[in-house]
């Protein structure tokens, strides 16, 4: 009987895991220094092969919850170098969209959860489309905007119904506003957590899938609207989280794509991995609603590389290689055989500004490191061979120096107190149990904390003091898989040129009449530029101090 209960628990995790993930992308308050440090050549770029073509149906999520972002043009070039043709954003990122102008990269932009209530007005929705889409669609070359994500996981159980009454009106108004603007080819869709459907305890298989009771009627209305507008259903599925929340009961093999000697059987269909089982549970629900051919997009799927015992580059590489090969075969799932699955990997680059409420792994979802370098070899063509990811080019770093514990330190209590302070103001998620730096002794852990703080404050000398316990070194303290980073050099803030000095007064007899306004055009331009530069400086400071803006959440 115990074996039966265990099997049921496992199947429930596979099919209906309710992920407590509401705070996944809420930015945390970070403190970042203001004055830029001089840039210097940084670590050498890693893999550098010629560009490769991503397998059909494969895209990436580009999250920007970071205090030290790579320059937008470098990231866009990274996408192009890897021939990634589909991109999902968690807001309307104007700088990113401008950089994508003229490219053939297909883009999904987002109406954030915090904007959903406002979109209950059709006039507001029309204005949103005009301001946020029209300007890019009508640029020379344009931006290939294909989807508008309406909210992000708004029906998550942890939201307790906060967005239940505003999401569907927002969806209708955004799509109708798109249609009214002659953008009916752009489809509005709600990225939904997989907790909106499940299989009952007494029959935990995909073919028994149903909507969650509290929103069943609402989901029926939404999918009917999708059908009438030829829009896709978008769902986020995370095999890693099934493993993480399974607490040792979830069979590891089901998270990957290598097959399984004990597949889950359902009416003759064999399920060997959680993605197929979860996907077909949704297919079942859509079939029951009468929409057997409704397109499905997996809006997020990924595997983190640090912050948990199962979050590492080895398992991430195994997961992604299996996923990409699975996509390349176009074998589909038991309920949708020979079907091209469309997925967006989560995510493109690590985001050290994200909340770690769900787990320390939250800051390590990228297939690229913070500086745009591949974390592992990955053949995104799915064809095998020597194809692999290409790293970012022309990345600028701060000086090659680190902040570490001074050799003369003997006061362990003071050291631990200062390390704790550093970690409250920087990213120390690699020090957790099972993480890449968990094997460091207390001196090494303190050095990691000090350096993380020092780099976060862009190597200002005062940020490597810690009551005299720390010192700056030019010898890299990295050890094995534990990397002590050198931070990216901040982009320079534009500085307005000094206005030209006013000309010497001219005698009245030689001056002649003048109808020009007070101050020459060049003076007006200089004043305007000074104000703009001051605003940029203030905006930069505020954004750094308060952690940019949170998206993917409220």
């Amino acid at each position: 009987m115990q074996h039966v209960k265990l099997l049921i628990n496992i199947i429930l995790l596979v099919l209906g895991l309710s992920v407590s993930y509401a705070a996944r992308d809420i930015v945390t308050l970070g403190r970042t220094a203001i004055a830029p440090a001089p840039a210097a050549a940084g670590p050498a770029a890693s893999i550098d092969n010629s560009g490769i073509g991503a397998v059909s149906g494969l895209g990436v999520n580009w999250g920007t919850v970071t205090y030290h972002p790579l320059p937008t043009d470098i990231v866009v070039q990274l996408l192009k170098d890897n021939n990634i043709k589909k991109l999902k954003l968690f807001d309307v990122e104007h700088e990113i969209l401008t950089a994508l102008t003229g490219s053939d990269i297909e883009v999904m932009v987002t109406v954030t959860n915090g904007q959903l209530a406002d979109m209950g007005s059709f006039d507001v929705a029309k204005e949103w489309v005009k301001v946020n889409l029209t300007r890019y669609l009508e640029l020379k070359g344009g931006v290939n905007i294909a989807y508008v994500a309406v909210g992000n996981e708004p029906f998550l159980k942890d939201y307790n119904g906060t967005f239940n009454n505003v999401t569907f009106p927002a969806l209708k108004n955004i799509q109708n506003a798109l249609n009214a603007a002659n953008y009916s080819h752009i489809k509005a869709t709600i990225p939904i957590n997989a907790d909106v459907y499940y299989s009952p305890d007494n029959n935990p298989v995909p073919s028994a899938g149903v909507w969650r009771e509290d929103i069943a009627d609402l989901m029926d209305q939404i999918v009917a609207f999708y059908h009438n507008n030829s829009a896709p259903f978008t769902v986020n599925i995370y095999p890693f989280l099934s493993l993480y929340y399974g607490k040792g009961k979830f069979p590891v093999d089901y998270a990957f794509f290598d097959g399984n000697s004990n597949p889950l059987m359902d009416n003759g269909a064999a399920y060997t991995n959680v993605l197929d089982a979860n996907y077909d549970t949704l297919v079942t629900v859509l079939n029951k609603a009468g929409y057997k051919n409704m397109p499905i997009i997996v809006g997020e799927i990924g595997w983190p590389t640090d912050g948990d015992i199962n979050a590492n580059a080895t398992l991430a590489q195994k997961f992604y290689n299996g996923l990409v090969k699975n996509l390349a075969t176009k074998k589909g799932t038991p309920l949708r055989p020979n079907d091209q699955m469309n997925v967006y990997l989560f995510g493109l680059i690590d985001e050290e500004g994200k909340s770690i409420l769900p787990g320390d792994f939250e800051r390590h979802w990228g297939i690229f490191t913070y500086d745009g370098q591949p974390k592992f070899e990955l053949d995104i063509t799915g064809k095998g061979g020597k194809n692999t990811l290409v790293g970012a080019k022309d990345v600028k770093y701060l000086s090659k120096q680190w902040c570490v514990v001074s050799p003369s330190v003997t006061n362990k209590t003071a050291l631990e107190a200062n390390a704790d302070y550093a970690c409250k103001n920087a990213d120390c998620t690699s020090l957790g149990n099972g993480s890449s730096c968990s094997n460091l002794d207390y001196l090494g852990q303190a050095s990691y904390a000090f350096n993380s703080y020092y780099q976060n404050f862009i190597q200002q000398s005062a940020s490597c003091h810690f009551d005299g316990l720390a010192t700056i070194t030019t010898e890299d303290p990295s050890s094995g898989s534990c990397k002590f980073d050198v931070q990216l050099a901040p982009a320079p803030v534009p500085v307005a040129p000094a206005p030209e000095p006013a000309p010497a007064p001219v005698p009245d007899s030689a001056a002649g009449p003048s109808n020009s306004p007070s101050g020459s055009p060049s003076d007006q331009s200089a004043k305007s530029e000074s104000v703009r530069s001051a605003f940029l400086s203030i905006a930069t400071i505020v954004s750094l101090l308060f952690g940019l803006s949170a998206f993917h959440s409220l």
Side-chain angles (χ1 to χ4, degrees), residues 148-151 153-155 167-168 171 188-192 222 226 232 234-235:
V148 175
V150 179
E153 300 185 340
F155 305 133
T167 302
F168 186 35
L171 173 73
T189 179
I190 306 168
I192 291 178
I222 288 171
Y226 285 158
T234 302
V235 62

Side-chain angles (χ1 to χ4, degrees), residues 48-54 60 62 71-87 95-107 140-144 348-349 367-368 372 380-381 388-393:
D48 185 15
N49 287 340
S50 59
I52 52 180
V60 295
W62 180 359
T72 299
D73 58 335
I74 289 180
V75 181
V76 170
Q77 189 59 49
L78 176 69
L79 294 170
K80 293 177 180 178
D81 288 344
N82 288 284
N83 208 11
I84 294 173
K85 300 294 187 182
K86 301 174 70 174
L87 178 65
E95 184 176 349
I96 293 174
L97 292 175
T98 299
L100 289 169
T101 302
S103 74
D104 59 351
I105 297 174
E106 179 187 283
V107 183
K140 183 178 182 181
V143 180
N144 182 15
L348 182 62
I349 298 173
I367 57 176
F368 293 94
I380 59 174
T381 69
T388 191
L389 296 173
V390 179
K393 300 178 177 65

